[in-house]
């Protein structure tokens, strides 16, 4: 069973286009995240959602917008794509505040976005 | 600004040898995470260290946490080729954890040669 899934796995698009990446988790977690991994493998958080409330937004351009229709889904929509948006985007999920080992974040397989 | 620093960033070692990866962080967090990433793959959780003095072991990997020194180590014993990967440490953006996400180190790219 896939715990955290993302679609698509690969996304190649032209500058200026709008695209979305979907994420779903079947772990029953109440918090979901989006991370960006650049070409140097550096990981940086973009957003987190807890019970459909935005918790943090790490100075991400407003061209990026997370959308959560329910606790199990957190989609990432990107407007007016730029060359610098090329990266691997990871979705993750976790329990909030349980205090135990389940607080670890479980990551999806990643979406490799290439902007031409 | 929260900083998480790993060293070394690149490590090439021979099978059978021992080595340690270090992770320093700048907050008062008492919780630290280690992840493994294979090329082109996702991040796999290795250890969650929840308190000062915590030590966890899985196979040839052992992780420890010293919150007073703000230091975690990942020790590799008698390395084997299958352990070749990139290893990341991470801490909660807000000490105490919760829903705010993680700040990651830059990763240690480990190559183990036969």
């Amino acid at each position: 069973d896939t715990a955290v899934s993302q679609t698509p796995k690969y996304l190649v698009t032209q500058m200026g286009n709008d695209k979305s990446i979907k994420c779903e988790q079947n772990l029953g977690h109440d918090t979901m995240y989006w991370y960006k991994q650049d070409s140097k493998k550096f990981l940086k958080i973009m957003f987190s959602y807890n019970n459909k409330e935005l918790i943090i937004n790490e100075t991400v351009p407003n061209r990026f917008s997370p959308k959560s229709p329910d606790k199990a889904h957190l989609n990432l929509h990107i407007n007016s794509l730029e060359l610098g948006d090329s990266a691997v985007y990871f979705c993750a999920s976790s329990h909030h505040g349980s205090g135990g080992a389940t607080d670890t974040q479980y990551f999806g397989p990643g979406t490799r976005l290439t902007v031409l | 600004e929260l900083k998480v620093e790993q060293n070394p960033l690149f490590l090439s070692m021979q099978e059978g040898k021992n080595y340690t990866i270090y992770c320093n962080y700048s907050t008062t967090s008492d919780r630290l995470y280690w992840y493994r990433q294979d090329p082109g793959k996702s991040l796999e959780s290795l250890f969650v260290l929840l308190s000062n003095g915590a030590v966890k072991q899985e196979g040839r990997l052992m992780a420890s946490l010293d919150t007073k020194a703000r230091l975690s180590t990942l020790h590799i014993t008698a390395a084997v080729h299958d352990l070749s990967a990139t290893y990341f440490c991470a801490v909660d953006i807000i000490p105490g954890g919760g829903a705010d996400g993680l700040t990651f180190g830059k990763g240690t790219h480990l190559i183990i040669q036969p």
Side-chain angles (χ1 to χ4, degrees):
Chain A
D1 288 342
T2 302
V4 183
S5 59
Q6 295 178 228
T7 54
K9 190 173 174 69
Y10 300 97
L11 185 53
V12 181
T13 188
Q14 300 286 333
M15 280 177 55
N17 284 350
D18 301 339
K19 290 293 179 185
S20 292
I21 305 171
K22 295 185 176 181
C23 177
E24 177 181 2
Q25 56 95 4
N26 62 7
L27 297 168
H29 289 160
D30 58 5
T31 306
M32 297 183 71
Y33 312 82
W34 278 104
Y35 288 86
K36 177 180 180 180
Q37 186 172 44
D38 63 22
S39 59
K40 295 183 179 179
K41 304 286 188 191
F42 186 55
L43 277 153
K44 187 171 184 180
I45 188 159
M46 301 177 71
F47 304 102
S48 67
Y49 253 75
N50 176 256
N51 289 327
K52 300 177 70 173
E53 297 289 332
L54 179 66
I55 299 298
I56 188 168
N57 180 335
E58 279 289 316
T59 63
V60 173
N62 58 15
R63 298 182 294 105
F64 291 79
S65 55
K67 290 181 170 56
S68 179
D70 54 58
K71 278 194 345 181
H73 297 83
L74 183 64
N75 303 325
L76 182 64
H77 189 74
I78 315 168
N79 291 327
S80 302
L81 278 155
E82 300 178 358
L83 292 175
D85 297 332
S86 295
V88 180
Y89 292 85
F90 286 100
C91 176
S93 71
S94 73
H95 274 303
H96 167 57
S98 67
T102 52
D103 272 355
T104 193
Q105 294 184 15
Y106 294 86
F107 283 77
T111 296
R112 182 174 293 276
L113 171 64
T114 303
V115 182
L116 303 175
Chain B
E1 180 188 350
L2 169 57
K3 291 184 179 179
V4 181
E5 296 181 349
Q6 286 182 239
N7 72 84
L9 297 182
F10 181 82
L11 177 59
S12 179
M13 56 192 291
Q14 289 186 315
E15 281 191 326
K17 300 291 186 182
N18 304 331
Y19 210 82
T20 300
I21 299 170
Y22 298 89
C23 176
N24 288 93
Y25 56 96
S26 62
T27 72
T28 57
S29 180
D30 59 359
R31 178 157 40 182
L32 189 133
Y33 308 81
W34 283 98
Y35 287 88
R36 167 180 173 153
Q37 186 178 35
D38 292 304
K41 302 293 185 181
S42 183
L43 282 85
E44 174 192 355
S45 176
L46 292 175
F47 301 108
V48 182
L49 303 169
L50 296 175
S51 61
N52 186 40
V55 177
K56 290 195 174 179
Q57 183 163 3
E58 180 72 34
R60 300 174 188 274
L61 299 178
M62 183 174 70
S64 65
L65 178 62
D66 181 345
T67 58
K68 293 179 181 177
R70 300 183 186 179
L71 171 68
S72 180
T73 61
L74 181 65
H75 186 72
I76 304 155
T77 302
V80 293
H81 178 69
D82 286 351
L83 291 178
S84 296
T86 299
Y87 293 85
F88 292 94
C89 64
V91 297
D92 295 297
I93 291 174
I94 304 297
D100 300 275
L102 302 176
T103 292
F104 282 82
K106 292 185 176 180
T108 296
H109 183 49
L110 174 63
I111 296 176
I112 299 170
Q113 300 178 5

